[in-house]
Amino acid sequence: MKRLKIWWMGFLLALCIAPSAAFAHANLLTMTPHNGQVVPASPEEIALEFSEPLEPDLIDLKMYDWNARPIQLDGPKLTPGKASRMYAKLPRLEEGTYTVVWSVVSEDGHPVNGSYAFSVGSVSPGETAPIGENSLDQKKFLLIALRYLVEASILLASGLAWLAWFGKRFGLPSFAQLAGRGWRLGWLLLVGGLIGEWFVYSATLPGGGLTSQLLAGKWKLLGQSPFAGMVLAQLVLLCLLAIPRMVEGWYLFIWLLLAGSLAFGGHAWGIEPLWLAFLLRIVHLLTIAIWLGGLGCLLLALRWEWTSGQPIDRAAFRPFFARVASFAAGAILLTGVGMAAIQTDWTSLVQRGGAWGNLLLVKIGLIASMLLLALNQTRRWKRDGRTLSQSLLRWETAAGMLALLAGVWMSQIAYPLPVKSYSETLQADRLQAVVQISQLQLGWQTMTIRLPDTAAGMEPKQVQVELNMTEMDMGLEPIPARKLDKGSYQADLPFTMSGKWTFVIDAEYPDGRHIRWTDTVFIPGGGE
């Protein structure tokens, strides 16, 4: 039985925390006709190209005329040999303005949608928005609410379980005593919340949703959505948590996995390096659980002391709790700064922080208020070992729950991508080439190449850049570089997908020699 338990623990750990590939948000790169364009005649098709391959069963494309009446489309479909391009054949369109509404699923499982308008012949006066499209936003808000309730409950219960276990030596009641009969109801509500998350998330996806596709036997789509995999893993963990009469360490370990598993349903899949993104999120979540669980443990312990009449040695518990809370607060701040640093940069936040940046400021303010309340509580407690303000504990817990809400909301919306450039000196055949790329972002970016003179003073007769993504088994035709002046060249590179790109600079000299410089760059995804 002991070996079986160890095997199960290892299996669950691998299931919950073993990432296999990097994912990102799909970004719309080009559309035909493009936004705001007035075409002279009815086009044969509309086409949208994205930054990554799409899943053909999880795409949707709708079009409305200037009176918000739907236009019947033949499609959408993916272009053969180019899974990042979605298109639909059009009937003959009358003169006027048309609105295109699109929806796809990113490789990280996040639904991404948008709309734009173009006109045939002339622009219609008083363009009307499509009817009923705001229902998707309502589902997103419902998903945020469900995620918040589930994640807050998991973090609070996980921290409560661990703090109650540590607090036994100070006479604190056990987790079962603190939770009481409400444990079974809480378990049922968690299961119900996860099932609700699944169906609401499925309803936000195009192509009929994930549930209908799975019922049709398309199980491979589960690999398209880390969020769906996270929800299923949490349901399995809750079932294992309900097994009676296991050793106490079993339940503590399951709570630890549940809290850590929350790291795998957000933006981390589109951030490089992947291992650091997950490590920071896991530590961030576990320390949030410790802080919130500690506050909840104190509130419930005070209530238990009053109802049971059994005193708690608060003076002995205070130093331990103060150390734990200080460690948790410090770890939350450090990992929060680390998460923001690898996900975006301060320049991007100042220039175009948007809703994500505003929520980050709200979260920072709430954590700061928690620290101030905790310091005030600690000073009062230190002066008198029995003085512990339940009012301050409630305010601190409320601030923590609001900070958690801000974090869940941030995980559901786009964040400002970091603005980074590339500048390296590459070596090949004992010759150096200075290579610069203006911005490592999706779209067309300019590479500047400064090549050395050879011993004979010859210049290359041709310079070209080969660009490929080995992870996607995708390569582009060689891109000729234009000459600026002696030894200086430029090439425009189309970074159409987020991920790792390998470039090879090939300089061909008049004597037939080829010198090749190569390196790998990372194009981030998932933000605006």
Side-chain angles (χ1 to χ4, degrees), residues 148-160 190 194 197 234 238 254-255 257-262 289:
Y148 169 66
L149 292 174
V150 169
E151 294 186 15
S153 300
I154 287 176
L155 291 175
L156 191 59
S158 301
L160 183 62
L190 267 179
L194 285 170
E197 273 188 34
Q234 288 169 350
L238 282 176
I254 298 298
W255 281 120
L257 289 181
L258 275 168
S261 70
L262 299 174

Side-chain angles (χ1 to χ4, degrees), residues 41-328:
S42 176
E44 294 184 358
E45 68 175 26
I46 51 176
L48 292 83
E49 187 167 351
F50 293 85
S51 60
E52 62 184 39
L54 306 175
E55 174 56 52
D57 295 313
L58 295 175
I59 59 176
D60 193 21
L61 195 62
K62 297 177 182 178
M63 194 165 78
Y64 302 85
D65 68 9
W66 55 95
N67 290 317
R69 293 175 300 198
I71 303 297
Q72 188 67 35
L73 303 178
D74 180 13
K77 302 173 184 177
L78 297 183
T79 303
K82 195 172 187 179
S84 60
R85 183 179 184 270
M86 173 174 64
Y87 74 96
K89 295 294 182 180
L90 294 175
R92 186 181 180 280
L93 300 177
E94 299 178 4
E95 184 174 300
T97 299
Y98 295 86
T99 301
V100 178
V101 180
W102 56 268
S103 181
V104 300
V105 176
S106 294
E107 287 189 294
D108 66 352
H110 276 81
V112 182
N113 58 83
S115 64
Y116 69 95
F118 70 93
S119 302
V120 177
S122 63
V123 177
S124 300
E127 177 188 343
T128 306
I131 296 174
E133 290 302 319
N134 62 343
S135 62
L136 187 60
D137 291 332
Q138 295 172 357
K139 291 173 184 175
K140 284 185 176 181
F141 279 111
L142 180 57
L143 181 60
I144 290 173
L146 283 171
R147 284 195 66 177
Y148 169 66
L149 292 174
V150 169
E151 294 186 15
S153 300
I154 287 176
L155 291 175
L156 191 59
S158 301
L160 183 62
W162 277 90
L163 263 295
W165 179 69
F166 279 117
K168 283 183 179 180
R169 70 191 73 174
F170 307 105
L172 261 68
S174 66
F175 176 73
Q177 290 173 311
L178 291 174
R181 296 179 180 178
W183 150 243
R184 291 183 177 82
L185 177 60
W187 184 90
L188 289 173
L189 290 175
L190 267 179
V191 171
L194 285 170
I195 293 173
E197 273 188 34
W198 174 276
F199 283 105
V200 173
Y201 169 72
S202 176
T204 64
L205 303 183
L210 186 60
T211 303
S212 61
Q213 299 293 348
L214 294 180
L215 292 175
K218 298 177 181 178
W219 290 94
K220 67 182 181 70
L221 294 180
L222 273 180
Q224 182 77 8
S225 174
F227 179 79
M230 180 194 74
V231 172
L232 291 177
Q234 288 169 350
L235 284 170
V236 172
L237 290 170
L238 282 176
C239 291
L240 295 175
L241 196 63
I243 299 175
R245 293 187 294 276
M246 300 293 284
V247 295
E248 189 175 20
W250 168 267
Y251 303 109
L252 292 172
F253 184 69
I254 298 298
W255 281 120
L256 184 69
L257 289 181
L258 275 168
S261 70
L262 299 174
F264 298 91
H267 287 305
W269 295 98
I271 300 171
E272 185 79 5
L274 190 61
W275 67 268
L276 181 58
F278 281 113
L279 178 63
L280 289 171
R281 276 160 176 75
I282 290 172
V283 175
H284 191 71
L285 287 163
L286 293 181
T287 48
I288 287 175
I290 290 173
W291 197 351
L292 290 179
L295 295 173
C297 183
L298 282 179
L299 284 171
L300 291 175
L302 292 175
R303 180 176 179 275
W304 179 84
E305 182 184 45
W306 180 72
T307 57
S308 67
Q310 300 182 36
I312 297 171
D313 190 352
R314 304 184 194 183
F317 180 66
R318 182 191 59 77
F320 165 75
F321 181 81
R323 287 193 299 269
V324 169
S326 299
F327 165 77

Side-chain angles (χ1 to χ4, degrees), residues 22-25 27 51-52 107 269-272 440-442 467-472 474 495-502 520-526:
F23 299 91
H25 280 189
N27 292 275
S51 60
E52 62 184 39
E107 287 189 294
W269 295 98
I271 300 171
E272 185 79 5
L440 295 178
Q441 294 186 125
L442 290 168
L467 198 61
N468 64 81
M469 289 192 78
T470 54
E471 294 177 352
M472 298 292 181
M474 183 187 76
F495 292 118
T496 57
M497 297 172 59
S498 57
K500 290 182 179 179
W501 288 83
T502 300
T520 299
V521 296
F522 178 77
I523 304 300

